[in-house]
Amino acid sequence: MIVTVVSMPEVAITRTDVAEARDRLANDRFVIVDVELPAEGPAEGPAGAPSVADQLGLDADGLDWFGRADEPPRAEYLGDRAALVVPVVHEEEIAHLHVVVTERFLATAHRGQAGLAKTLADAVLHERPPDTVAVLFLLLGEALGTFRRAAVQALLETEEVEDSMFEGRRPEQVYRLAQLRRSSARLHHFLRPFLEVTDEVLTRRMMSPTFPEERQRLAREFQTSGRLVLADIESLQEATRRAFASYSSLVAGEQNGVINRLAIVSVIFLPLSFLTGFFGMNFTFLTDKLESRDEFWLLAVGLQVLVLFVSLYVLHRTRIWRRLREDD
């Protein structure tokens, strides 16, 4: 377990142990505590072992999930504090950041590196938030930013794959499109439930006359940003569906070209096959009347050549050759 404490408003970052972090949470006026848990490990701790909330002295009523793996997104008020499970995109995977915020402190816990440590520290240094609630909305904004960057990157890659399909179709393109479609579905699956629960809680809080105007502004900005990011993810989903449709259309076009060529071959050789079969039969007219070599060349070969030229003329007049050349 790695514990980091950020003293505010001077933004002094120190590494410490759980005991000192517990003391700072109990006594400091404005402090941020981050707990990094092992990435690999059981979802539940050993039987009888204190939870992360107990170790930090967070008054664990309703916080037994804090620091526990495989928790779904949540947002709720617990008396004088708010508790959230925030999804974050980290190295193409979805991590969950557990957050507890009061008027005096903000505590976070996550398994492995959630990918927000540096960006959140930079945002705090730049913005200098006046209180823990402002820090919370900074953290939520950075979490949305991870989803936005992942969606935009996947959208650009989808467009590149779609462009390359017009130069040549390859099986790996379909595989990559399938991966991008699964990624878009995962982004949507994790972000939308979180936005729904946070919208419900924030809307209820903003209706309260005691909710400060500045916090209402931060909440509205977060809701607007969440809707925009969700729209980006839905655009990614639509782009992957369109790319699959384009691939199918191109393959169908190629198959149509092959079928057209087979039809042309059939138009040319089917009459020839008929004449060959007709003159290959031993009926009385052929055996009794067609006795000279000239008659053989005139009827057997001449009719075949005539049928071949007529077929080519018909194909040329109907512009089938031109359409095939344009398709190529």
Side-chain angles (χ1 to χ4, degrees), residues 104-125:
R104 293 191 307 102
F105 65 82
L106 182 143
T108 62
H110 53 89
R111 291 188 174 270
Q113 296 182 356
L116 283 184
K118 185 178 186 304
T119 55
L120 181 60
D122 293 341
V124 169
L125 284 170

Side-chain angles (χ1 to χ4, degrees), residues 9 13 35 50 77 112 114 120 137 139 141 165 170 176 196 198 203 223 229 299-300 307:
I13 303 174
V35 178
Y77 273 94
L120 181 60
F137 280 106
L139 184 148
M165 290 189 310
R170 298 183 300 275
R176 185 54 186 158
E196 289 176 351
T198 52
T203 300
Q223 290 176 318
V229 174
L299 294 177
V307 169

Side-chain angles (χ1 to χ4, degrees), residues 62-68 71 74 76 83-85 98-100:
L63 293 177
D64 55 321
W65 52 266
F66 186 76
R68 189 167 60 192
E71 282 298 308
R74 73 168 71 213
E76 56 191 11
L84 305 94
V85 177
H98 298 189
V99 183
V100 175

Side-chain angles (χ1 to χ4, degrees), residues 20 39 44 67 75 91-92 152 154 158 166 173 201 239 251 270 280:
E20 183 176 348
E44 302 288 347
E91 296 180 352
E92 298 185 356
V152 171
T158 300
F166 291 94
Q173 293 170 338
V201 171
V251 172
L270 188 60

Side-chain angles (χ1 to χ4, degrees), residues 271-287:
L272 301 180
S273 300
F274 169 75
L275 290 174
T276 302
F278 179 80
F279 285 101
M281 293 184 293
N282 294 322
F283 52 89
T284 305
F285 178 79
L286 289 177
T287 57

